[in-house]
Amino acid sequence: HNKMANQVNGNAVQLKEEEEPMDTSSVTHTEHYKTLIEAGLPQKVAERLDEIFQTGLVAYVDLDERAIDALREFNEEGALSVLQQFKESDLSHVQNKSAFLCGVMKTYRQREKQGSKVQESTKGPDEAKIKALLERTGYTLDVTTGQRKYGGPPPDTVYSGVQPGIGTEVFVGKIPRDLYEDELVPLFEKAGPIWDLRLMMDPLSGQNRGYAFITFCSKDAAQEAVKLCDNYEIRPGKHLGVCISVANNRLFVGSIPKNKTKENILEEFSKVTEGLVDVILYHQPDDKKKNRGFCFLEYEDHKSAAQARRRLMSGKVKVWGNVVTVEWADPVEEPDPEVMAKVKVLFVRNLATTVTEEILEKSFSEFGKLERVKKLKDYAFVHFEDRGAAVKAMNEMNGKEIEGEEIEIVLAKPPDKKRKERQAARQASRSTA
């Protein structure tokens, strides 16, 4: 240890001039080596990390205390193994090296838990091809242990507006596990300018998870991407699945006391979750003072909704003294515009109990010939023979009072097969549970 102390004081340099000792402990260290030892890292670990600093892969300033603290919690063998893996990782596109190192440590612990050996890192992307892609497009690439993010934002020359909103993102599934941006981007950019492409990575295997999200700069480009790339054969026998992705920011919450109002619910859930922007509540048809025992919570974005869902499901959070049931709400899928352009059925809601099918028929038939009227609970479907008449009726009658209640009218969405399947599946899983 004396020798170490000597060295830190800079005596090793004089030693070198007089004689070249064979002793390997006189490896040159950077000035950060001492800080690492003082931070409590074992000697070998500090030396290994210091060597990594010297290779220029990562600088001391890139690592924050969190990473050093986490490293200190490993035994020497584990820490050396983590550093080895970090060193072999391709860090050329990693913006936050400290977070990446923490990711490597987390993955190492998960592997230990599973008892699987840390496998030799599987073949990553062909770096030369990635480099060529980035040079051609001018986009950035940010790699973390969980995802590879291309763009977001894209270069100003491509698009300099704000981040595109709802309907501009597609979900790409069934991606071969060893495929990267160099194969995905050239295909998808044919649809239009890309805002960002996020390829999800599996830190345990080092390969992609088989899916990605791509946000385009416009809705048209996103729809074009679905047309062009859904079922596209990207490699022999491997077809991609592409659909518009619905960023779900709505939760379904059950077991709500029936006497609570929208305001009560908004206030109560705002106390225990963040980012809540709206509560959607349905009343009982025969008693407007009572809700139906469930509601939908609308959050400002998907992340807030996901965090709220986790908190509410944890069982630790009580609302009005009860644990509530929470699920993702079914995404509101926008039906195909071409299909909606042909709809001639109106969905009329918020009907007073006294409204009969006869009353509706009388009110609506003045706009055109009706096929039929069907009333259920506090809503009804009004079928017109002619689309024009349906649209005219909707425009004229929306917000009018019938039997003392203001009615709301929208074009009825055609039945959604997928949704029916989801409901059936949910019903089945509930009955078995």
Side-chain angles (χ1 to χ4, degrees), residues 194-238:
I194 291 173
W195 166 272
D196 73 4
L197 182 157
R198 301 185 311 285
L199 181 63
M200 300 300 148
M201 300 299 292
D202 177 4
L204 289 174
S205 71
Q207 294 189 302
N208 78 53
R209 286 183 185 269
Y211 66 94
F213 295 96
I214 305 177
T215 305
F216 286 90
C217 298
S218 71
K219 278 188 180 180
D220 292 351
Q223 282 170 344
E224 186 60 24
V226 175
K227 283 192 186 124
L228 278 178
C229 310
D230 185 31
N231 213 17
Y232 176 86
E233 189 169 359
I234 190 130
R235 287 193 184 159
K238 302 279 184 197

Side-chain angles (χ1 to χ4, degrees), residues 122-158:
T122 37
K123 194 174 130 329
D126 180 333
E127 267 314 310
K129 286 182 178 167
I130 298 289
K131 196 165 169 249
L133 170 73
L134 298 177
E135 280 172 6
R136 171 176 73 77
T137 61
Y139 277 64
T140 50
L141 179 64
D142 182 10
V143 175
T144 62
T145 46
Q147 71 169 6
R148 299 170 60 90
K149 182 176 165 197
Y150 168 85
D156 283 346
T157 47
V158 174

Side-chain angles (χ1 to χ4, degrees), residues 326-358:
V326 186
E327 294 180 36
W328 284 111
D330 269 346
V332 184
E333 288 178 22
E334 285 312 313
D336 191 316
E338 291 166 24
V339 175
M340 283 309 283
K342 299 187 183 113
V343 172
K344 38 189 192 185
V345 182
L346 299 182
F347 176 67
V348 186
R349 63 177 159 223
N350 204 30
L351 297 176
T353 328
T354 51
V355 174
T356 60
E357 288 180 356
E358 290 73 46

Side-chain angles (χ1 to χ4, degrees), residues 16-267:
K16 263 202 160 67
E17 287 165 7
E18 292 153 27
E19 47 179 334
E20 284 288 306
M22 282 312 291
D23 194 337
T24 52
S25 66
S26 63
V27 195
T28 38
H29 292 142
T30 70
E31 70 276 23
H32 303 300
Y33 173 71
K34 185 178 176 192
T35 324
L36 295 174
I37 292 284
E38 283 168 359
L41 288 179
Q43 183 187 332
K44 275 187 176 155
V45 177
E47 282 182 354
R48 176 65 56 82
L49 190 49
D50 199 52
E51 277 168 31
I52 293 179
F53 292 154
Q54 290 177 38
T55 59
L57 271 175
V58 59
Y60 174 73
V61 289
D62 289 338
L63 296 190
D64 56 21
E65 280 172 25
R66 196 176 62 126
I68 304 283
D69 286 347
L71 196 59
R72 204 172 50 222
E73 288 175 19
F74 279 84
N75 60 24
E76 191 170 290
E77 183 198 357
L80 291 174
S81 177
V82 161
L83 288 177
Q84 188 56 29
Q85 209 180 330
F86 178 65
K87 193 175 160 185
E88 285 169 9
S89 304
D90 177 31
L91 300 173
S92 47
H93 304 296
V94 175
Q95 314 301 325
N96 185 339
K97 308 243 168 73
S98 209
F100 192 86
L101 178 59
C102 289
V104 172
M105 291 190 261
K106 187 176 163 193
T107 308
Y108 184 85
R109 288 208 190 282
Q110 283 171 320
R111 283 210 184 101
E112 266 188 332
K113 235 185 238 150
Q114 295 175 4
S116 60
K117 278 314 276 161
V118 177
Q119 60 208 85
E120 289 315 303
S121 55
T122 37
K123 194 174 130 329
D126 180 333
E127 267 314 310
K129 286 182 178 167
I130 298 289
K131 196 165 169 249
L133 170 73
L134 298 177
E135 280 172 6
R136 171 176 73 77
T137 61
Y139 277 64
T140 50
L141 179 64
D142 182 10
V143 175
T144 62
T145 46
Q147 71 169 6
R148 299 170 60 90
K149 182 176 165 197
Y150 168 85
D156 283 346
T157 47
V158 174
Y159 178 86
S160 54
V162 293
Q163 181 160 2
I166 293 169
T168 55
E169 183 181 77
V170 300
F171 171 83
V172 185
K174 300 198 285 198
I175 298 174
R177 298 299 166 111
D178 56 349
L179 186 143
Y180 296 92
E181 299 81 10
D182 54 313
E183 289 178 70
L184 285 171
V185 171
L187 170 63
F188 281 92
E189 63 187 358
K190 288 182 186 144
I194 291 173
W195 166 272
D196 73 4
L197 182 157
R198 301 185 311 285
L199 181 63
M200 300 300 148
M201 300 299 292
D202 177 4
L204 289 174
S205 71
Q207 294 189 302
N208 78 53
R209 286 183 185 269
Y211 66 94
F213 295 96
I214 305 177
T215 305
F216 286 90
C217 298
S218 71
K219 278 188 180 180
D220 292 351
Q223 282 170 344
E224 186 60 24
V226 175
K227 283 192 186 124
L228 278 178
C229 310
D230 185 31
N231 213 17
Y232 176 86
E233 189 169 359
I234 190 130
R235 287 193 184 159
K238 302 279 184 197
H239 296 80
L240 296 177
V242 183
C243 59
I244 296 283
S245 120
V246 187
N248 201 345
N249 46 6
R250 190 178 285 187
L251 299 178
F252 168 86
V253 180
S255 36
I256 299 264
K258 296 210 164 118
N259 58 350
K260 300 296 176 191
T261 64
K262 179 174 170 168
E263 286 67 34
N264 300 149
I265 294 171
L266 198 62
E267 185 187 356

Side-chain angles (χ1 to χ4, degrees), residues 255-257 317-325:
S255 36
I256 299 264
V317 179
K318 291 201 167 162
V319 190
W320 296 297
N322 295 331
V323 172
V324 290
T325 54

